[in-house]
């Protein structure tokens, strides 16, 4: 497959996947999600790959969320379809992969960006990273697993606050809440991710795969289906149309509860 939105490279047994839409802060449009599906499926199947490190191009963003410019035509049906496909083809593929995936969070990790990082098995953040789930500012809820994975990582109270306020938090706060495993300087970000990955890659590959499966079983949740239902409901509202339009027109949204 030819990639327009991501870069793939390999050093030794580590596969690097870099979201490469720097001018849009690496926002996840449909084409990027399709490329991520292919890239992760391929990496998990390739015997030469031991583990994957995912990061964003440029100094500013890991991923600033789903691409809001693609939201203008969404309704309840297509919203459900979009969330379901992203869950099954990208986020669950990463989370349930047979090889370790480390997110190197090099800046904004918002919405679908934080959801990507949370689907990974381990997160390392640079000290300038900002993390959050700002979907409610757009009139929707997180639809790529965020309501479940944030709750699993930081607990219900903090997840409720982060999701309902839509506030971004610093990398240091994310570390304090258990949302990221390590915080380092931007220069140390990839070396730290590589150090962790190289240690894991010395362990037995079949046991690594079993560890991922077993740890995931500890937090398996039927809440993902509820998230897709509620996301779909939100994409059918007037407030969602207003939220997406307001972002694209660079103005504050005015919500009316309809
Ligand atoms: N979808 C589409 N485009 C996005 C985007 C997204 N999620 N996030 C950023 N962009 C685009 C901007 O529209 C802008 O494009 P333009 O130069 O063509 O106008 C470009 O990326 C740079 O973003 P900008 O907003 O100018 O940068 P900033 O430094 O002022 O602000 C953010 C950075 C991350 C705070 C801001 O871009 C933002 O709030 N993004 C949306 C985050 C979000 O709500 N994500 C959840 C989506 S479900």
């Amino acid at each position: 497959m030819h990639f327009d939105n991501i870069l793939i490279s390999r050093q030794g047994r580590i596969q690097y996947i870099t979201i490469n839409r720097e001018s849009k802060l690496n926002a996840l449009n449909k084409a990027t999600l399709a490329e991520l599906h292919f890239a992760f499926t391929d990496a998990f199947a390739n015997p030469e790959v031991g583990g994957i490190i995912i990061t964003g191009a440029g100094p500013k963003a890991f991923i600033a969320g789903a691409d809001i410019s693609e939201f203008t035509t969404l309704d309840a049906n297509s919203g459900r379809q979009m969330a379901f496909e992203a869950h099954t083809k990208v986020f669950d593929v990463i989370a349930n992969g047979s090889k370790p995936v480390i997110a190197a969070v090099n800046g904004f990790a918002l919405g679908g960006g934080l959801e990507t990082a949370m689907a990974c098995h381990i997160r390392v953040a640079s000290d300038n990273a900002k993390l959050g789930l700002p979907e409610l500012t757009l009139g929707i809820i997180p639809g790529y697993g965020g309501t479940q994975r944030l709750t699993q990582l930081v607990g219900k109270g903090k997840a409720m606050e982060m999701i309902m306020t839509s506030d971004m938090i610093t990398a240091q706060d994310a570390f304090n809440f258990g949302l990221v495993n390590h915080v380092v300087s931007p220069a140390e970000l990839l070396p730290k991710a590589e150090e962790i990955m190289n240690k894991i890659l010395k362990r037995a590959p079949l046991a690594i795969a079993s560890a991922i499966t077993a740890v995931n079983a500890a937090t398996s949740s039927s809440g993902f289906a509820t998230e897709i239902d509620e996301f779909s409901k939100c994409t059918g509202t007037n407030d969602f149309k207003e939220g997406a339009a307001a972002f694209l027109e660079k103005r504050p949204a005015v919500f009316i509860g309809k």
Side-chain angles (χ1 to χ4, degrees):
M1 184 176 182
H2 171 77
F3 296 120
D4 291 318
N5 300 286
I6 63 176
L7 303 171
I8 307 278
S9 65
R10 171 126 31 95
Q11 275 169 39
R13 294 180 62 219
I14 304 180
Q15 185 98 319
Y16 294 81
I17 298 179
T18 305
I19 315 293
N20 191 31
R21 300 187 74 218
E22 194 178 341
S23 68
K24 295 292 176 188
L25 303 186
N26 302 319
L28 295 176
N29 59 1
K30 280 183 203 151
T32 307
L33 288 169
E35 291 179 20
L36 284 174
H37 168 73
F38 186 90
F40 274 101
T41 307
D42 183 63
F44 289 136
N46 185 340
E48 289 171 18
V49 174
I52 299 134
I53 294 176
I54 179 169
T55 193
K60 196 168 164 183
F62 173 66
I63 300 169
D67 191 321
I68 298 166
S69 69
E70 292 185 342
F71 282 4
T72 49
T73 54
L74 273 191
D75 59 18
N77 280 337
S78 54
R80 172 183 298 279
Q81 185 66 15
M82 176 181 133
F84 179 77
E85 275 196 19
H87 270 256
T88 50
K89 292 193 173 164
V90 180
F91 297 90
D92 293 350
V93 169
I94 296 173
N96 299 323
S98 56
K99 295 171 185 173
V101 184
I102 300 180
V105 179
N106 57 312
F108 288 114
L110 302 175
L114 181 54
E115 289 171 302
T116 303
M118 292 193 295
C120 297
H121 305 124
I122 293 170
R123 285 151 292 285
V124 182
S126 57
D127 52 21
N128 61 340
K130 292 271 175 62
L131 303 91
L133 294 177
E135 282 85 349
L136 268 73
T137 65
L138 299 167
I140 47 173
I141 62 165
Y144 292 167
T147 62
Q148 307 303 297
R149 293 196 175 100
L150 186 67
T151 308
Q152 290 160 1
L153 284 163
V154 305
K156 191 169 162 185
K158 201 70 215 170
M160 286 284 192
E161 181 181 344
M162 282 182 65
I163 291 170
M164 288 198 283
T165 64
S166 292
D167 280 347
M168 290 185 219
I169 62 171
T170 62
Q172 189 56 47
D173 281 343
F175 174 77
N176 294 339
F177 301 152
L179 181 52
V180 302
N181 300 56
H182 301 273
V183 180
V184 293
S185 69
E188 281 300 305
L189 183 64
L190 284 178
K192 183 68 187 175
E194 287 157 358
E195 177 196 318
I196 299 167
M197 186 64 87
N198 283 323
K199 192 177 280 187
I200 295 171
L201 294 182
K202 291 192 186 125
R203 314 304 175 218
L206 296 178
I208 293 171
S210 286
I212 293 169
T213 304
V215 173
N216 280 340
T219 53
S220 64
S221 151
S222 61
F224 288 108
T226 306
E227 180 186 276
I228 294 172
D229 284 345
E230 296 300 325
F231 181 84
S232 159
K233 270 191 213 165
C234 292
T235 49
T237 64
N238 288 337
D239 277 349
F240 165 61
K241 289 186 179 38
E242 162 64 8
F247 176 80
L248 297 171
E249 291 161 18
K250 301 186 189 292
R251 62 171 175 83
V254 180
F255 294 125
I256 56 167
K258 291 199 172 142

